[in-house]
Amino acid sequence: MRKNIVAGNWKMNKTFDEADELVTNLIEQLEEKDLGENTDVIICPPFPYLEMCTDYSNESYFAVGAQNVSDRDQGAFTGEVSADMLASMEVEYCIVGHSERRAYYGETDALIAKKVDQLLKNDIRPIVCCGEVLEEREAGKQFEVVKRQITDGLFHLDAEAFGKIIIAYEPVWAIGTGKTATPEQAQEIHAFIRGLIAEKYGKEVADNTSILYGGSCKPSNAKELFANPDVDGGLIGGASLKAEDFINIALAF
Ligand code: PGA
């Protein structure tokens, strides 16, 4: 059966020393608190801190993910980081298609599909983001938008490859705004996404896919969000920058 997952997306925050302190605090929290067998914790720091985090993760209870990856194998692509490089640093997960990358760096579903392929080729599990902007929600287009993102970004995969995918539904109007989707809004879209997967790959694959919610998820609202049958955890931005808040979210299942 699918796992509960809490993944921290640190975005472009923290100096090296601050990142080191956050990881140390996380480990302290994880030693004190029992998350149970079925909850996985992932942290996604900026690229320069990946090695520090994977070094710590060898001894502890979280896995490490990157926040982005190149769609190319290797070569003259200044500033890019390949999936092969990430794999060589024991990075196990990578966020792809975050709305900030779609909005500020022009990432399209076609590019996201290529990044997903690079990651899978290197045994890294993609955490693929989808979600509508406010105008789309107000126009009642959220299902259409999410269907396009999932279909064009992921449905070229065969069932075995799709089994490695983690999905994060993040309504853009809820990211960093303090405005959270209601548990009913989250459940509605998560069930819709699971239905799309079931239609394409069958019920077993759909039942085994973890679908995370993201967008102003915090200790005070995590419990009611995670209580929904199709919400399998969260992709946490702001609240992942404080160890205690992040682990309290992980305790909310
Ligand atoms: P937030 O970010 O929790 O700060 O809203 C979530 C995300 O963008 O992944």
Side-chain angles (χ1 to χ4, degrees):
M1 217 25 202
R2 60 186 179 260
K3 281 267 188 176
N4 292 327
I5 296 171
V6 172
N9 175 10
W10 295 6
K11 308 192 181 182
M12 196 172 73
N13 290 296
K14 306 272 180 199
T15 61
F16 185 85
D17 287 346
E18 289 164 354
D20 192 84
E21 192 187 341
L22 175 54
V23 179
T24 313
N25 292 340
L26 271 175
I27 292 171
E28 264 171 35
Q29 290 282 319
L30 286 162
E31 277 170 353
E32 257 171 48
K33 296 172 179 169
D34 181 14
L35 301 185
E37 295 272 296
N38 201 40
T39 301
D40 284 348
V41 174
I42 303 168
I43 56 172
C44 303
F47 286 133
Y49 312 149
L50 285 170
E51 192 182 3
M52 182 260 286
C53 293
T54 54
D55 279 352
Y56 275 120
S57 78
N58 289 338
E59 304 144 42
S60 94
Y61 322 87
F62 54 79
V64 178
Q67 297 174 17
N68 186 26
V69 69
S70 172
D71 61 316
R72 310 299 181 107
D73 284 321
Q74 63 167 81
F77 301 104
T78 302
E80 290 291 285
V81 173
S82 71
D84 182 41
M85 292 174 188
L86 296 177
S88 73
M89 296 172 73
E90 291 165 45
V91 169
E92 294 175 79
Y93 297 86
C94 183
I95 299 169
V96 198
H98 191 279
S99 62
E100 286 149 18
R101 297 218 55 91
R102 291 177 190 262
Y104 308 142
Y105 302 99
E107 292 200 6
T108 60
D109 293 320
L111 181 74
I112 289 157
K114 285 196 200 164
K115 293 186 174 199
V116 165
D117 291 343
Q118 286 291 347
L119 291 169
L120 292 174
K121 199 163 81 180
N122 286 281
D123 276 331
I124 297 174
R125 294 187 64 187
I127 302 172
V128 182
C129 303
C130 60
E132 78 286 357
V133 300
L134 186 61
E135 301 80 72
E136 290 163 338
R137 163 74 55 172
E138 283 172 351
K141 290 195 170 149
Q142 64 270 29
F143 297 105
E144 192 185 308
V145 170
V146 166
K147 183 174 180 179
R148 191 207 67 227
Q149 291 169 334
I150 301 269
T151 305
D152 295 356
L154 291 173
F155 281 0
H156 62 290
L157 299 173
D158 64 23
E160 194 191 334
F162 190 89
K164 304 271 173 8
I165 301 293
I166 296 163
I167 291 180
Y169 167 64
E170 301 200 303
V172 181
W173 46 271
I175 296 178
T177 57
K179 208 172 167 190
T180 318
T182 64
E184 295 73 26
Q185 285 171 326
Q187 170 58 25
E188 188 183 35
I189 292 261
H190 282 231
F192 172 73
I193 294 170
R194 203 177 303 287
L196 292 176
I197 301 168
E199 239 172 69
K200 171 82 182 168
Y201 298 108
K203 187 172 176 335
E204 197 184 333
V205 174
D207 283 346
N208 284 327
T209 303
S210 295
I211 306 176
L212 317 183
Y213 168 80
S216 300
C217 183
K218 37 191 185 249
S220 59
N221 59 25
K223 216 176 188 64
E224 52 177 14
L225 286 161
F226 298 172
N228 288 292
D230 289 296
V231 179
D232 308 310
L235 180 56
I236 318 299
S240 72
L241 299 173
K242 278 201 191 142
E244 195 173 357
D245 285 355
F246 184 55
I247 298 308
N248 283 338
I249 292 173
L251 283 167
F253 291 105

